[in-house]
Amino acid sequence: MRILALDTSTEWCSVAVGDGREWHVRDEHAGQAHSERILPIVRATLAEAGVALSQLDAIAFGAGPGSFTGVRIGCGVAQGLAFGADLPVIAIATLEALAQQARRVHGWTTVVACLDARMREVYAAMYMTYDTTNRSRDDSAWRALMDPLATPPAALRLPLGHDDVCGAGNGYAAYPSLAAGLELAAVDARLRPGAQSIGELALPRLAAGEGVAAAHALPLYVRHRVALTTAEREAGARL
C-alpha cells in the first residue's frame, strides 16, 4: 500500500509519499504561508516518487492539536485530494506523530509529546509503545497514557508509575523548566510532527480498514477558543 501523508499543524509544511519501506519526504518552513505552499509541495513530492494521485491507496493528515488555521488547511487539503481521487482518509493525532518521530530518531518508547499552544498553554499527550497481540511493550503501536489536552505548563501532570519517560516537541523550548518539573529522562525540543511519521502510523490503520470517506475526515481540537481579544492580538498572541 502506498500513501500520501501531510502535516500543516506547525510552522512547517511536511509531505511524504511512501509504502512503509521507502519514503519520499519534503519539509519546508512555511511560517503562515501553508495555504500557498502545501499543494506545490504535494505535487513535487508525488513527482519525486514517480506516483500519480490515482495510484495511491489513501491520504493521511496531521489532525491536530496544533495551529487552528494550519490544522484546518491540512484537513481541507486532504479532503479535497481524497475526494477528487476517490481515496480514503486517515486522521492522525499530531502529538502521536511527534512521539513516533521521537521513537525513530532516539528509540524512545515512552514519550510526553508537547507543543507550544501559545496563549501561555501547551498541547501535551503521553504515549507508550505496546504490542497489539501480547499487550507488552514493543515497537508495534502506541497506547495513549494521557490523551491530548491543552493546559498551562505548570498544571501539566503525568500518570504515575512509568520509568524512562522522555519529552519531545517545542513546548519544552517555550517553557524550559517544564522538563525538570516532569522529571523526564531526556528531552529533544527540536522534534516536530512530520509527514513520514504520520504515514507510518496511518499505514497499519489503513490495512485494518480504518480509512474514512473524505467528507468524514475531521480535525482534532482540544482547545475550543478560536478568537483573540484586541489586546491579545496587539500583544502578538496567536492561537
Side-chain angles (χ1 to χ4, degrees), residues 2 14 36 44 58 88 101 104 106 110 115 130 146-147 149-151 165 190 192 197 203-204 215 233:
R2 187 179 287 114
S14 182
E36 292 86 5
Q101 190 83 2
R104 186 179 339 105
H106 296 295
T110 306
L115 293 173
Y130 76 104
M146 182 180 73
D147 289 328
L149 54 79
T151 180
V165 180
R190 300 166 300 173
R192 54 184 172 78
S197 293
L203 279 170
R233 289 195 299 271

Side-chain angles (χ1 to χ4, degrees), residues 11-36:
E11 294 183 344
W12 290 75
C13 281
S14 182
V15 177
V17 176
D19 59 5
R21 297 180 300 275
E22 181 181 8
W23 291 98
H24 297 268
V25 181
R26 285 181 177 244
D27 293 309
E28 181 179 306
H29 188 271
Q32 298 183 27
H34 297 84
S35 59
E36 292 86 5

Side-chain angles (χ1 to χ4, degrees), residues 128-159:
M128 184 178 76
T129 54
Y130 76 104
D131 179 77
T132 55
T133 301
N134 300 319
R135 297 293 175 178
S136 61
R137 289 184 67 164
D138 196 15
D139 283 351
S140 57
W142 289 101
R143 176 166 64 95
L145 301 176
M146 182 180 73
D147 289 328
L149 54 79
T151 180
L156 181 59
R157 299 290 183 271
L158 303 182

